[in-house]
Amino acid sequence: MRLLHTSDWHLGRAFHRVNMLDAQSRFIGHLVTTAREREVDAVVVSGDVYDRAVPPLAAVRLFDDALHRLADLGVPTVMISGNHDSARRLGVGAGLIGRAGVHLRTDPAGCGTPVVLAGPHGDVAFYGLPYLEPALVKDEFGVERAGHETVLAAAMDRVRADLATRPPGTRSVVLAHAFVTGGEVSDSERDITVGGVASVPAGVFDGVDYTALGHLHGSQTITERVRYSGSPLPYSFSEADHRKSMWLVDLGPDGSLAAERIDCPVPRPLARLRGRLEDLLADPALERHTDAWVEATLTDPVRPADPMARLAERFPHALSLVFDPERSPQAPGVSYARRIAGRSEEQIAEDFVAHVRGVGPDDLERAVLRDAFDAVRADETARETAR
């Protein structure tokens, strides 16, 4: 059986104020064309279909168009909700849409109920694990402490229990939206840390033939059978080195697996430039970036006049300007943003405690801070879902 694995469409998201709906529409067309030309047996979409819980109307129209095009293609599609989606909204009409061959899996209670597709060499069971916010699903899975690994492990227990009831030789595919240990992050993914832990070990998914992951925006192989497709389009300059693609996966009769990357069309390449303004404007080696979306980090000791306007004369698609003057991090005048760059919210809070009283928090106080951040994030998720 041949699968086309994609995720993290983020319909409705902009790239530094550039509307991406046309590019997202071209991707949907590319997806449908690839599925038809490569004779795909199933399409799997591993979450973050939308960029936010209440998407703009234009994004909803594009999703509606995608559903119709996938249904008209006649290739079964299995799709889960991600941490950016409202599971309830995305799942509206799932029963009716499923009759057209597009199977939406957004309810955590259904983790152990697969979409079963028949093939010439036997059935393949597709299990959809939507994003599982630990604080909101721990009661459903009967776990005492909310954590990504505990709820995913409980969900996978249901998958294995159901798979054990299937005829011998039934192959299995799991769709999941999670941060798996070993994955490389980018700046455009929303933090899902719980209790100071964001990732889960790949071993959670042992026992299935293929795990189609979503959440991280870079295409990557965690193990031969556990892969991220990555987002089909870039959503931050930290993705400048990404090759945007989908996975074409051939699942053999005996569970053997072969995977091929299928490149996605992107509107423009990304370029991250760094140096003094005059050097960036004069360097002939940068000519290749004229048509790229550009992020320029200026290292001039003194901020130059009209830097963005001057950059745009050479790089018409310059979108982001960062100032990082050539001085030590301890020097007076270093920005707050630079001092906290790369630090989590919890680390910033711990730094604040140390700054105020002269000593950082102890283990008990760190636990209190972690619980507070977890509670706030869970509350925000619950309120987004209820809107």
Side-chain angles (χ1 to χ4, degrees), residues 96-159:
L96 289 173
I97 296 170
R99 296 181 186 179
V102 180
H103 305 277
L104 297 172
R105 291 294 183 264
T106 64
D107 185 357
C111 286
T113 304
V115 176
V116 180
L117 301 181
H121 301 286
D123 291 346
V124 180
F126 291 78
Y127 297 89
L129 278 56
Y131 172 67
L132 303 175
E133 175 61 46
L136 302 182
V137 302
K138 66 183 183 69
D139 291 339
E140 165 65 32
F141 291 106
V143 297
E144 293 183 3
R145 182 165 178 79
H148 289 295
E149 184 173 355
T150 54
V151 296
L152 266 174
M156 285 301 302
D157 285 344
R158 293 188 183 183
V159 168

XYZ file of all heavy atoms in Angstrom, residues 96-159:
468
model
N -20.357 12.464 8.189
C -20.791 12.651 6.798
C -19.597 12.738 5.850
O -19.590 12.141 4.771
C -21.634 13.923 6.688
C -23.032 13.871 7.314
C -23.675 15.250 7.274
C -23.892 12.863 6.573
N -18.568 13.478 6.271
C -17.390 13.635 5.421
C -16.715 12.285 5.210
O -16.178 12.001 4.135
C -16.419 14.658 6.042
C -17.079 16.041 6.080
C -15.113 14.733 5.268
C -16.298 17.075 6.881
N -16.752 11.433 6.232
C -16.159 10.114 6.114
C -16.785 9.285 5.012
O -16.118 8.434 4.399
N -18.075 9.510 4.723
C -18.738 8.764 3.656
C -18.141 9.100 2.292
O -18.269 8.317 1.347
C -20.235 9.070 3.655
C -20.956 8.616 4.925
C -22.439 8.934 4.851
N -23.107 8.626 6.122
C -24.392 8.822 6.343
N -25.162 9.330 5.371
N -24.926 8.536 7.520
N -17.491 10.282 2.210
C -16.838 10.682 0.966
C -15.390 10.220 0.911
O -14.677 10.536 -0.037
C -16.904 12.205 0.812
N -14.960 9.490 1.946
C -13.610 8.950 1.938
C -12.576 9.799 2.640
O -11.383 9.485 2.596
N -13.013 10.877 3.309
C -12.095 11.724 4.081
C -12.420 11.509 5.558
O -13.476 11.925 6.045
C -12.220 13.213 3.697
C -11.252 14.046 4.528
C -11.951 13.411 2.212
N -11.522 10.864 6.270
C -11.786 10.423 7.637
C -11.083 11.356 8.622
O -9.853 11.366 8.723
C -11.299 8.988 7.822
C -11.878 8.043 6.812
N -13.125 7.470 6.962
C -11.378 7.583 5.621
C -13.378 6.693 5.923
N -12.337 6.745 5.095
N -11.882 12.154 9.349
C -11.364 13.098 10.335
C -11.344 12.430 11.703
O -12.367 11.928 12.180
C -12.235 14.351 10.382
C -12.296 15.181 9.094
C -13.351 16.276 9.217
C -10.943 15.805 8.800
N -10.173 12.424 12.331
C -10.038 11.846 13.666
C -9.595 12.945 14.623
O -8.434 13.329 14.657
C -9.025 10.687 13.639
C -9.510 9.461 12.872
C -10.701 8.835 13.596
N -11.191 7.608 12.972
C -12.204 7.552 12.123
N -12.815 8.680 11.780
N -12.619 6.396 11.629
N -10.536 13.443 15.402
C -10.267 14.562 16.297
C -10.637 14.286 17.748
O -10.341 15.099 18.617
C -11.050 15.812 15.827
O -12.462 15.559 15.929
C -10.710 16.179 14.386
N -11.276 13.158 18.027
C -11.740 12.816 19.378
C -10.757 11.842 20.017
O -10.563 10.727 19.517
C -13.124 12.190 19.306
C -13.724 11.906 20.686
O -13.022 12.147 21.699
O -14.879 11.441 20.736
N -10.118 12.229 21.132
C -9.170 11.310 21.789
C -9.776 9.952 22.133
O -9.064 8.943 22.145
C -8.772 12.077 23.052
C -8.971 13.511 22.715
C -10.176 13.535 21.814
N -11.075 9.916 22.392
C -11.718 8.658 22.758
C -11.685 7.639 21.621
O -11.862 6.437 21.853
C -13.163 8.903 23.190
N -11.454 8.099 20.401
C -11.460 7.195 19.252
C -10.090 6.698 18.842
O -9.951 6.111 17.755
N -9.069 6.900 19.691
C -7.699 6.507 19.322
C -7.569 5.037 18.951
O -6.762 4.672 18.095
C -6.734 6.821 20.472
S -6.361 8.570 20.677
N -8.355 4.187 19.592
C -8.249 2.753 19.347
C -9.189 2.236 18.284
O -9.291 1.017 18.097
N -9.880 3.138 17.590
C -10.812 2.734 16.534
C -10.236 3.150 15.188
O -10.231 4.341 14.851
C -12.194 3.382 16.737
O -12.680 3.056 18.044
C -13.176 2.909 15.683
N -9.743 2.218 14.395
C -9.041 2.593 13.167
C -9.953 2.778 11.961
O -11.107 2.328 11.952
C -8.115 1.398 12.937
C -8.913 0.230 13.450
C -9.684 0.761 14.641
N -9.396 3.447 10.972
C -9.949 3.409 9.623
C -9.258 2.231 8.938
O -8.030 2.203 8.837
C -9.653 4.714 8.854
C -10.152 4.613 7.415
C -10.267 5.912 9.567
N -10.020 1.248 8.514
C -9.436 0.039 7.926
C -9.624 0.081 6.417
O -10.753 0.166 5.917
C -10.079 -1.231 8.514
C -9.462 -2.479 7.880
C -9.907 -1.269 10.029
N -8.501 0.041 5.703
C -8.533 0.040 4.244
C -8.069 -1.322 3.743
O -7.036 -1.834 4.173
C -7.618 1.136 3.688
C -7.935 2.569 4.122
C -6.969 3.542 3.463
C -9.375 2.941 3.777
N -8.841 -1.881 2.849
C -8.509 -3.186 2.287
C -7.522 -3.018 1.140
O -7.618 -2.076 0.340
C -9.775 -3.883 1.801
N -6.562 -3.916 1.060
C -5.591 -3.909 -0.023
C -5.444 -5.290 -0.600
O -5.976 -6.268 -0.052
N -4.728 -5.418 -1.716
C -4.557 -6.738 -2.342
C -3.802 -7.728 -1.469
O -3.872 -8.936 -1.690
C -3.783 -6.423 -3.622
C -3.121 -5.111 -3.365
C -4.046 -4.362 -2.469
N -3.074 -7.218 -0.463
C -2.303 -8.095 0.423
C -2.825 -8.048 1.860
O -2.084 -8.314 2.799
C -0.828 -7.709 0.387
C -0.225 -7.791 -0.981
N 0.074 -8.994 -1.587
C 0.093 -6.824 -1.866
C 0.579 -8.762 -2.792
N 0.598 -7.463 -2.985
N -4.075 -7.677 2.022
C -4.656 -7.641 3.354
C -4.970 -6.227 3.811
O -4.671 -5.239 3.137
N -5.577 -6.156 4.994
C -6.023 -4.869 5.533
C -4.860 -4.052 6.084
O -3.855 -4.591 6.562
C -7.029 -5.096 6.666
C -8.351 -5.664 6.174
O -8.589 -5.631 4.936
O -9.132 -6.166 7.006
N -5.065 -2.731 6.046
C -4.177 -1.797 6.730
C -5.046 -0.957 7.657
O -6.023 -0.333 7.215
C -3.410 -0.888 5.754
C -2.491 0.070 6.520
C -2.581 -1.721 4.773
N -4.711 -0.943 8.941
C -5.480 -0.196 9.943
C -4.782 1.126 10.233
O -3.611 1.146 10.619
C -5.615 -1.021 11.222
N -5.514 2.227 10.051
C -4.989 3.568 10.292
C -5.584 4.095 11.600
O -6.802 4.283 11.705
C -5.368 4.510 9.153
C -4.671 4.206 7.847
C -5.095 3.153 7.045
C -3.595 4.980 7.414
C -4.464 2.874 5.843
C -2.956 4.702 6.226
C -3.382 3.654 5.427
N -4.711 4.364 12.573
C -5.146 4.868 13.876
C -4.796 6.350 13.982
O -3.622 6.736 13.879
C -4.459 4.097 15.000
C -4.803 2.633 15.044
C -4.053 1.700 14.320
C -5.875 2.172 15.802
C -4.361 0.350 14.359
C -6.193 0.818 15.840
C -5.436 -0.093 15.111
O -5.746 -1.426 15.146
N -5.820 7.177 14.191
C -5.597 8.618 14.301
C -5.522 9.053 15.752
O -6.510 8.939 16.496
N -4.348 9.543 16.181
C -4.169 10.089 17.527
C -4.089 11.605 17.403
O -3.034 12.143 17.067
C -2.884 9.551 18.180
C -2.910 8.173 18.852
C -3.376 7.092 17.888
C -1.539 7.836 19.412
N -5.191 12.327 17.616
C -5.119 13.785 17.546
C -4.196 14.311 18.632
O -3.789 13.566 19.535
C -6.570 14.220 17.784
C -7.172 13.101 18.580
C -6.503 11.848 18.079
N -3.847 15.598 18.551
C -3.006 16.168 19.603
C -3.681 15.956 20.944
O -4.856 16.293 21.131
C -2.755 17.651 19.366
C -2.044 18.299 20.539
C -0.735 17.946 20.839
C -2.700 19.216 21.363
C -0.084 18.498 21.928
C -2.046 19.782 22.445
C -0.741 19.418 22.726
O -0.096 19.962 23.807
N -2.923 15.393 21.875
C -3.446 15.060 23.203
C -2.874 16.037 24.223
O -1.741 15.876 24.679
C -3.082 13.621 23.568
C -3.555 12.538 22.579
C -3.023 11.163 22.983
C -5.077 12.524 22.467
N -3.650 17.056 24.578
C -3.240 18.001 25.620
C -3.359 17.268 26.960
O -4.465 16.934 27.392
C -4.122 19.241 25.594
C -3.854 20.243 26.705
C -2.435 20.805 26.659
O -1.978 21.182 25.566
O -1.797 20.856 27.732
N -2.241 16.985 27.623
C -2.275 16.088 28.789
C -3.294 16.463 29.850
O -4.010 15.587 30.360
C -0.837 16.171 29.317
C -0.013 16.454 28.103
C -0.859 17.378 27.278
N -3.383 17.743 30.206
C -4.286 18.139 31.286
C -5.751 17.917 30.926
O -6.594 17.743 31.807
C -4.052 19.607 31.641
N -6.049 17.915 29.620
C -7.440 17.796 29.200
C -7.863 16.357 28.907
O -9.055 16.077 28.838
C -7.688 18.660 27.950
C -7.377 20.159 28.098
C -7.725 20.890 26.807
C -8.153 20.762 29.268
N -6.896 15.446 28.726
C -7.260 14.074 28.344
C -6.836 13.025 29.363
O -7.093 11.837 29.166
C -6.664 13.714 26.954
C -7.143 14.687 25.891
C -5.143 13.652 27.005
N -6.215 13.450 30.462
C -5.714 12.449 31.413
C -6.849 11.609 32.002
O -6.669 10.416 32.262
C -4.887 13.114 32.515
C -5.624 14.031 33.464
C -4.651 14.656 34.450
C -5.363 15.526 35.479
N -6.172 14.719 36.411
N -8.009 12.197 32.202
C -9.128 11.422 32.737
C -9.631 10.417 31.703
O -9.998 9.284 32.058
C -10.267 12.349 33.158
C -9.911 13.193 34.375
O -8.988 12.807 35.114
O -10.544 14.255 34.566
N -9.658 10.803 30.443
C -10.086 9.890 29.379
C -9.213 8.638 29.353
O -9.708 7.521 29.148
C -10.024 10.612 28.027
C -10.095 9.709 26.803
C -11.425 8.977 26.675
O -12.471 9.546 27.090
O -11.417 7.826 26.195
N -7.908 8.818 29.588
C -6.991 7.689 29.505
C -6.656 7.089 30.873
O -5.859 6.148 30.960
C -5.705 8.108 28.785
C -5.921 8.397 27.325
C -5.917 9.694 26.847
C -6.162 7.358 26.436
C -6.138 9.963 25.505
C -6.382 7.619 25.086
C -6.377 8.918 24.622
N -7.232 7.652 31.928
C -7.067 7.071 33.246
C -5.649 7.130 33.786
O -5.212 6.199 34.475
N -4.935 8.210 33.485
C -3.573 8.364 34.011
C -3.616 9.354 35.171
O -4.399 10.302 35.181
C -2.598 8.850 32.913
C -2.500 7.822 31.798
C -3.006 10.210 32.344
N -2.758 9.113 36.160
C -2.795 9.942 37.359
C -2.155 11.305 37.129
O -2.657 12.319 37.605
C -2.077 9.218 38.508
C -2.802 7.966 38.984
C -2.102 7.330 40.170
O -1.086 7.909 40.641
O -2.563 6.271 40.637
N -1.011 11.344 36.430
C -0.308 12.605 36.238
C -0.281 12.963 34.763
O 0.069 12.138 33.913
C 1.117 12.529 36.787
C 1.870 13.848 36.638
C 3.129 13.896 37.477
N 3.853 15.142 37.297
C 3.543 16.290 37.872
N 2.496 16.353 38.684
N 4.246 17.381 37.670
N -0.642 14.201 34.481
C -0.681 14.657 33.096
C 0.733 14.834 32.557
O 1.557 15.526 33.142
C -1.441 15.979 32.995
N 1.005 14.190 31.454
C 2.295 14.315 30.789
C 2.177 13.760 29.382
O 1.352 12.875 29.118
N 2.978 14.277 28.458
C 2.874 13.831 27.065
C 3.125 12.332 26.932
O 2.390 11.629 26.227
C 3.863 14.604 26.186
C 3.482 16.032 25.970
N 2.342 16.400 25.288
C 4.095 17.181 26.332
C 2.266 17.719 25.247
N 3.309 18.208 25.880
N 4.169 11.846 27.597
C 4.499 10.430 27.439
C 3.416 9.541 28.021
O 3.049 8.517 27.425
C 5.846 10.119 28.092
C 6.280 8.678 27.881
C 7.690 8.387 28.383
O 8.377 9.336 28.811
O 8.093 7.208 28.347
N 2.861 9.911 29.175
C 1.862 9.048 29.806
C 0.578 8.957 28.979
O 0.018 7.870 28.820
C 1.529 9.542 31.229
O 1.144 10.926 31.181
C 2.712 9.381 32.160
N 0.112 10.087 28.441
C -1.145 10.029 27.680
C -0.926 9.374 26.319
O -1.788 8.621 25.840
C -1.792 11.427 27.538
C -2.187 11.976 28.896
C -0.907 12.404 26.785
N 0.225 9.616 25.694
C 0.496 8.957 24.407
C 0.675 7.458 24.599
O 0.212 6.654 23.776
C 1.730 9.558 23.758
C 1.496 10.696 22.762
C 2.820 11.292 22.294
C 0.696 10.213 21.551
N 1.346 7.078 25.669
C 1.517 5.650 25.948
C 0.164 4.981 26.170
O -0.074 3.853 25.693
C 2.422 5.463 27.163
N -0.734 5.673 26.881
C -2.062 5.113 27.120
C -2.847 4.994 25.811
O -3.555 3.999 25.584
C -2.819 5.975 28.127
N -2.719 6.003 24.950
C -3.396 5.952 23.651
C -2.842 4.805 22.809
O -3.594 4.073 22.148
C -3.229 7.276 22.921
N -1.523 4.623 22.835
C -0.912 3.537 22.063
C -1.270 2.171 22.637
O -1.336 1.185 21.896
C 0.601 3.728 21.998
C 1.059 4.815 21.040
S 0.530 4.502 19.334
C 1.284 2.906 19.010
N -1.522 2.084 23.935
C -1.998 0.825 24.510
C -3.336 0.437 23.874
O -3.588 -0.748 23.586
C -2.157 0.947 26.023
C -0.822 0.923 26.770
O 0.193 0.511 26.156
O -0.794 1.329 27.952
N -4.192 1.430 23.655
C -5.477 1.153 23.006
C -5.260 0.698 21.560
O -5.961 -0.188 21.058
C -6.371 2.395 23.043
C -6.820 2.793 24.424
C -7.846 3.907 24.360
N -8.247 4.344 25.700
C -9.172 5.266 25.933
N -9.782 5.860 24.904
N -9.474 5.609 27.177
N -4.290 1.337 20.883
C -3.987 0.955 19.502
C -3.536 -0.507 19.451
O -4.034 -1.302 18.645
C -2.901 1.880 18.911
C -2.368 1.322 17.595
C -3.447 3.288 18.711
